[in-house]
């Protein structure tokens, strides 16, 4: 049986930074499920699908072949054979992913891919529904969160460090909109699994969070 750690939480809580670091320490694979939903969203943007048109999203997702591979320890997402990693981390794609991921057809397809991967590989997987739906039997489940003000500030600092000009209030509003959509959708909404451990990182450094999660894994 493979060893699986599930990390769920809202956008900007630091899931990927933490999961990557823990994966490295434990020498297991990091599976970023948000990237799979983002690849699906990129496909919808490229195909000019109206985000409000649920039927079109459900129909179109059948034509998107999404697979992942590990190259030099990094997860690479392929969309119909193309490595789309460079296009996934924009606000536009993130917002579209939050909208398109509510469709059950989209979720079914990606959850299958995630479960197959976790069944054969020791991994730490992050997302919104990992502890509740994708890996209900994961050995360790974490619900990682932080206040929306802290998450917005972290994203703002990240973008400004890259030289992008951005508006803190707009980022915070976008984060809160996305939280609302992710938490209130009908299928697999973001919520803490009954057996997940809550870690609020608002007042913690990255090192403190990593150490805390490592200690939970050792237990
Ligand atoms: O973690 P992220 O920001 O890359 O995720 C982008 C969107 O994908 C997020 O707003 C909701 C969706 N998502 C999901 O519904 N289920 C997951 N397991 C991961 C992401």
């Amino acid at each position: 049986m493979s060893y699986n750690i599930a990390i769920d939480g809202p956008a900007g809580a630091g899931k990927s930074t933490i999961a990557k670091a823990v994966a490295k320490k434990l020498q297991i694979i990091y599976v970023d499920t948000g990237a799979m939903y983002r690849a699906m969203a990129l496909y919808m943007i490229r195909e000019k699908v109206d985000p409000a048109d649920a039927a079109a999203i459900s129909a179109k997702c059948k034509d998107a072949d999404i697979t992942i591979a590990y190259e030099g320890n990094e997860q690479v997402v392929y969309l119909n054979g193309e490595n789309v990693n460079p296009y996934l981390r924009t606000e536009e794609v993130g917002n579209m992913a939050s909208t398109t991921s509510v469709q059950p057809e989209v979720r079914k397809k990606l959850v299958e891919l995630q479960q197959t991967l976790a069944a054969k590989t020791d991994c730490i997987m992050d997302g919104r529904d990992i502890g509740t739906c994708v890996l209900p039997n994961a050995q360790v489940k974490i619900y990682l969160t932080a206040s929306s003000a802290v998450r917005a500030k972290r994203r703002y600092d990240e973008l400004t460090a890259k030289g992008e000009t951005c508006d803190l209030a707009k980022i915070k509003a976008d984060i809160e909109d996305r939280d609302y959509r992710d938490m209130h959708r009908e299928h697999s909404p973001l919520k803490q699994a009954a057996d997940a451990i809550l870690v609020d990182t608002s007042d913690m450094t990255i090192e403190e969070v990593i150490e805390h999660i490592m200690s939970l894994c050792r237990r």
Side-chain angles (χ1 to χ4, degrees), residues 175-188:
I175 280 187
E176 286 170 354
D177 281 353
R178 198 185 300 184
D179 284 357
Y180 188 87
R181 275 199 302 272
D182 292 350
M183 290 173 179
H184 293 87
R185 65 183 179 214
E186 188 183 348
H187 300 280
S188 314

Side-chain angles (χ1 to χ4, degrees), residues 14-26:
K15 297 187 297 294
S16 67
T17 307
I18 302 302
K20 258 185 218 162
V22 171
K24 200 167 173 197
K25 279 184 189 278
L26 295 176

Side-chain angles (χ1 to χ4, degrees), residues 33-174:
T33 64
M36 301 176 190
Y37 287 95
R38 284 170 183 264
M40 188 61 92
L42 177 69
Y43 181 72
M44 301 296 166
I45 292 171
R46 285 178 172 179
E47 293 291 309
K48 304 199 169 26
V49 174
D50 175 358
D53 188 345
I57 294 168
S58 300
K60 270 284 176 196
C61 85
K62 299 190 178 68
D63 304 327
D65 179 38
I66 294 174
T67 54
I68 68 167
Y70 285 85
E71 295 171 13
N73 254 341
E74 201 201 339
Q75 172 179 297
V76 180
V77 184
Y78 287 90
L79 170 62
N80 293 332
E82 176 193 358
N83 172 352
V84 290
N85 273 24
Y87 314 113
L88 301 181
R89 306 243 53 101
T90 67
E91 294 298 306
E92 184 197 11
V93 171
N95 286 328
M96 184 68 157
S98 173
T99 306
T100 53
S101 64
V102 305
Q103 298 307 327
E105 284 79 4
V106 169
R107 305 204 67 81
K108 184 167 178 285
K109 191 165 171 155
L110 298 181
V111 167
E112 272 168 18
L113 180 65
Q114 293 153 15
Q115 288 175 331
T116 308
L117 192 68
K120 57 178 188 214
T121 328
D122 292 344
C123 66
I124 177 163
M125 184 178 283
D126 80 353
R128 304 293 189 286
D129 59 340
I130 311 305
T132 51
C133 298
V134 182
L135 306 176
N137 299 319
Q139 284 85 345
V140 181
K141 293 185 189 178
I142 313 280
Y143 189 83
L144 200 72
T145 189
S147 70
S148 60
V150 166
R151 288 184 283 130
K153 179 70 168 57
R154 287 178 187 161
R155 188 134 295 176
Y156 174 87
D157 290 344
E158 218 174 83
L159 292 171
T160 20
K162 278 197 237 160
E164 290 178 34
T165 40
C166 51
D167 175 354
L168 182 59
K170 163 104 178 43
I171 293 176
K172 183 163 175 282
D174 277 352

